Amino acid sequence: MLTDDQLLEIAGKPALTRGQAYHREGRITLSRNEADTIEGTANGTQTYALWMKRDGPRWRWGCNCRAADDGAFCKHLVAAVLTARGDAPDEVADPVSTKEARAQVLAEFLRAQPTERMAERLVELANKKKTAAVKRARLHSAIDDPAEPKAALGKMLDPGGFLDYRRSNDYARRLDAVVTQLERAIARDADSGRGLCEYALGRLLKIYPRSDDSGGAIGAQVAGIARLHAHACALEPPGKSLGKMLLSLQQKDDWGMFPLNDYWLALGADGQTDYATRVLAEFGTLPQKPSEASRWNESFGIARRTEALARASGDFELLQRVLRRHLSHPRDHLRVFESLNEFGRAREAQAWIEKAVKRFPDDDGLRGALADCLAGAGLDEDAIEQAWRAFRLRPVEQNWDLLKRISGTDWAMWRERVIEHVRSIERGDASHRITLLEHDGDIDAAVFLARESEVRPDVLERLARHLQRDQPLLAGEFELRIARMQMVELQPTRYAALVTTVKRAARCLSPEHWKPLVADIRAEHGKKSKLMRLLDEANL
């Protein structure tokens, strides 16, 4: 299954971040979850059908949401992969860091320029982009004038009509100036800065749903302003009046940008009581016996707010009322189990998870939770049996770790049994075994198996990264294998990837090893001018 690094590459950071949120909220239902096929639905503003299928070394995919119309890898597909993996998402490197470094170098250069030269250059730029520059200048000066900020903000926030995908990105960049001035306003006076944040958020929460923000650029800016608002409230707590405003913002927010924990202390005792009264009144409007169809409509937001209130206030009974409203999926039962443990009710938790396993015997997550429960109660043999069944249901890294932890000193015996089980279910491809060996830190065994077996290119690439420092010749060998796979049914969108792979091989190997491959590429694909140009530019 795709890793977080691969998801970041094909989906982008905004879609990955939003997909992780969908996964955490349990919005994905998979009707089919196999090593080479995923099918299911995503519950968002409406229900979307999605699928993924391995086609040789590559994946094909589809989702009937608008963001995936052009074949893009949308947040629903990201969430489906995370759900299929069933493990905690990997840490994702922040691609912004290099941009920040470049911005720092540029800032140092600009500060070193004479004032008159910079003023002339700014006027020249303002003449070229008059409207945006004038709006930014007015906003900058208006922040220092209490009578002007909202009017200037309003002009800066005006989208000028529907924001399609391209205009959404332009609009998001324009919001950089808004964020900067809001930061200034809060630093000068937290209370008035909070008011400006609320005004900006009120406008943006109307604009955002009506824009094509498939890449998540506007959403990231709105989330940033929401954090500024919470910061301003923490600096100068508004107390009871905050309860009504916070709930109003949350009711317009389908993306979880205003977490209650960020505001709980700023609300104060009176504000907490007022907020709780309003949220409980909302919760009281929900039907006593909800249908599955109502799970993802307006009631989802109300239930989410009530759950956050229960956790923030430590109200165990309220939390149980919320979590037990829907119990049609294994994930629902697992969340109740987790909440019982969270409040120190271990016996109730064990009884609950045992009943859940009887209801959903084929869910590995429930069996894994039961295994941990039984181990904690000293029932080691029963715990190992449940862990083994969980692994056989879904032989993934998470369940490998579970069995390793619970088997303790018997792990060596169980490890051989696990590897043999995975080998027995493979379909001519050792990628799964290699992934588990690599996960367990046994790189030597993973490399040996990779050299002797058919392996997916993404698995080979991961191994090559492990080897490139200490065993560059072996890393280069794997890169050449990957390039050979990429040459099969080569499409224009994959030219750059092929050239990058060959460049990695060239860094590890001497020319006599990698040049024959380049000769084969040129001979087989010589009429593909774009590919030939990329090879020339890479000095290959």
Side-chain angles (χ1 to χ4, degrees), residues 388 391 400 403-404 407-423 433-446:
W388 175 228
F391 185 85
W400 169 287
L403 189 54
K404 181 178 182 178
S407 62
T409 56
D410 292 331
W411 171 239
M413 180 272 290
W414 278 103
R415 187 177 188 270
E416 292 302 318
R417 190 173 178 183
V418 164
I419 291 174
E420 176 56 28
H421 171 72
V422 175
R423 188 201 63 75
R433 262 186 299 161
I434 292 168
T435 298
L436 290 173
L437 290 168
E438 182 187 7
H439 172 74
D440 203 41
D442 194 348
I443 300 299
D444 290 342

Side-chain angles (χ1 to χ4, degrees), residues 193-271:
R194 173 180 59 83
L196 290 175
C197 286
E198 289 169 0
Y199 173 76
L201 288 166
R203 293 287 302 273
L204 288 169
L205 289 173
K206 292 179 181 178
I207 294 167
Y208 185 38
R210 298 197 295 265
S211 63
D212 181 4
D213 190 40
S214 304
I218 298 177
Q221 294 283 38
V222 179
I225 296 173
R227 288 191 293 272
L228 284 178
H229 179 254
H231 175 61
C233 291
L235 289 175
E236 195 167 329
K240 182 177 179 179
S241 63
L242 177 58
K244 182 178 180 181
M245 172 54 69
L246 176 59
L247 182 57
S248 174
L249 290 171
Q250 289 176 331
Q251 287 170 335
K252 300 168 187 171
D253 167 34
D254 291 330
W255 310 277
M257 296 180 184
F258 302 93
L260 181 58
N261 280 343
D262 290 357
Y263 292 90
W264 191 246
L265 293 179
L267 281 163
D270 290 341

Side-chain angles (χ1 to χ4, degrees), residues 384-504:
I384 290 175
E385 174 60 24
Q386 292 299 328
W388 175 228
R389 293 184 69 174
F391 185 85
R392 281 181 294 165
L393 284 167
R394 267 191 6 108
V396 296
E397 291 97 322
Q398 176 184 341
N399 291 330
W400 169 287
D401 292 341
L402 171 72
L403 189 54
K404 181 178 182 178
R405 182 174 69 250
I406 289 179
S407 62
T409 56
D410 292 331
W411 171 239
M413 180 272 290
W414 278 103
R415 187 177 188 270
E416 292 302 318
R417 190 173 178 183
V418 164
I419 291 174
E420 176 56 28
H421 171 72
V422 175
R423 188 201 63 75
S424 70
I425 61 175
E426 286 174 348
R427 303 175 181 177
D429 183 319
S431 297
H432 199 160
R433 262 186 299 161
I434 292 168
T435 298
L436 290 173
L437 290 168
E438 182 187 7
H439 172 74
D440 203 41
D442 194 348
I443 300 299
D444 290 342
V447 169
F448 178 81
L449 186 55
R451 297 188 76 181
E452 302 293 324
S453 312
E454 182 179 339
V455 191
R456 297 197 315 268
D458 60 294
V459 175
L460 283 176
E461 178 56 39
R462 216 166 48 234
L463 288 176
R465 291 180 187 178
H466 278 295
L467 299 167
Q468 60 187 0
R469 186 182 67 179
D470 299 325
Q471 300 184 60
L473 294 180
L474 193 49
E477 174 189 320
F478 285 168
E479 296 290 3
L480 291 180
R481 280 179 64 183
I482 296 167
R484 294 284 182 190
M485 295 180 196
Q486 291 172 329
M487 287 174 63
V488 179
E489 298 182 7
L490 184 61
Q491 300 296 320
T493 55
R494 304 301 300 164
Y495 291 171
L498 173 59
V499 173
T500 299
T501 302
V502 178
K503 285 171 64 178
R504 285 197 295 259

Side-chain angles (χ1 to χ4, degrees), residues 25 246-247 250 253 256-265 267 272 275-276 279-280 282-283 299-323 335 339 342-343:
E25 293 167 0
L246 176 59
L247 182 57
Q250 289 176 331
D253 167 34
M257 296 180 184
F258 302 93
L260 181 58
N261 280 343
D262 290 357
Y263 292 90
W264 191 246
L265 293 179
L267 281 163
Q272 290 168 7
Y275 179 83
V279 170
L280 290 175
E282 271 192 318
F283 188 63
S299 65
F300 175 79
I302 296 175
R304 182 171 63 179
R305 289 190 286 275
T306 311
E307 180 183 343
L309 171 63
R311 293 185 184 281
S313 61
D315 190 334
F316 174 78
E317 298 301 329
L318 177 59
L319 181 59
Q320 296 307 302
R321 285 170 57 198
V322 178
L323 294 180
R335 295 190 72 220
S339 72
E342 180 184 340
F343 280 80

Side-chain angles (χ1 to χ4, degrees), residues 50-112:
L50 56 88
W51 61 272
M52 289 181 60
K53 186 173 180 63
R54 190 190 303 281
D55 184 4
R58 296 181 295 277
W59 283 92
R60 295 184 293 111
W61 56 75
C63 177
N64 63 356
C65 74
R66 187 170 62 178
D69 280 349
D70 59 352
F73 203 91
C74 65
K75 63 186 178 185
H76 306 122
L77 290 166
V78 170
V81 169
L82 298 179
T83 302
R85 286 188 343 205
D87 55 356
D90 303 335
E91 289 187 6
V92 180
D94 187 354
V96 176
S97 57
T98 54
K99 295 181 182 178
E100 291 175 344
R102 289 196 296 269
Q104 180 63 30
V105 172
L106 177 60
E108 292 173 359
F109 168 76
L110 292 174
R111 291 190 189 102

Side-chain angles (χ1 to χ4, degrees), residues 17-231:
T17 301
R18 296 164 80 186
Q20 287 171 330
Y22 263 53
H23 168 55
R24 284 193 300 271
E25 293 167 0
R27 289 175 175 253
I28 301 298
T29 301
L30 295 180
S31 57
R32 189 175 178 185
N33 183 9
E34 300 171 1
D36 55 4
T37 305
I38 298 173
E39 293 177 2
T41 57
N43 293 288
T45 51
Q46 62 188 58
T47 300
Y48 302 105
L50 56 88
W51 61 272
M52 289 181 60
K53 186 173 180 63
R54 190 190 303 281
D55 184 4
R58 296 181 295 277
W59 283 92
R60 295 184 293 111
W61 56 75
C63 177
N64 63 356
C65 74
R66 187 170 62 178
D69 280 349
D70 59 352
F73 203 91
C74 65
K75 63 186 178 185
H76 306 122
L77 290 166
V78 170
V81 169
L82 298 179
T83 302
R85 286 188 343 205
D87 55 356
D90 303 335
E91 289 187 6
V92 180
D94 187 354
V96 176
S97 57
T98 54
K99 295 181 182 178
E100 291 175 344
R102 289 196 296 269
Q104 180 63 30
V105 172
L106 177 60
E108 292 173 359
F109 168 76
L110 292 174
R111 291 190 189 102
Q113 303 308 303
T115 304
E116 286 189 13
R117 183 184 302 170
M118 287 303 301
E120 291 173 0
R121 180 59 179 152
L122 288 172
V123 170
E124 180 184 340
L125 288 172
N127 287 332
K128 290 181 178 179
K129 297 186 176 181
K130 185 175 180 181
T131 303
V134 169
K135 285 182 178 178
R136 283 194 293 271
R138 284 176 178 168
L139 177 59
H140 182 84
S141 60
I143 288 296
D144 296 320
D145 182 352
E148 288 294 325
K150 283 189 178 179
L153 261 180
K155 291 178 181 177
M156 198 67 187
L157 293 168
D158 183 7
F162 175 74
L163 296 170
D164 59 20
Y165 180 76
R166 183 184 60 78
R167 291 192 66 237
S168 286
N169 291 329
D170 293 340
Y171 183 76
R173 284 190 289 271
R174 191 202 307 173
L175 293 178
D176 285 339
V178 173
V179 171
T180 299
Q181 298 311 320
L182 290 174
E183 289 172 340
R184 283 186 58 211
I186 292 169
R188 191 183 64 249
D189 182 346
D191 188 57
S192 63
R194 173 180 59 83
L196 290 175
C197 286
E198 289 169 0
Y199 173 76
L201 288 166
R203 293 287 302 273
L204 288 169
L205 289 173
K206 292 179 181 178
I207 294 167
Y208 185 38
R210 298 197 295 265
S211 63
D212 181 4
D213 190 40
S214 304
I218 298 177
Q221 294 283 38
V222 179
I225 296 173
R227 288 191 293 272
L228 284 178
H229 179 254
H231 175 61

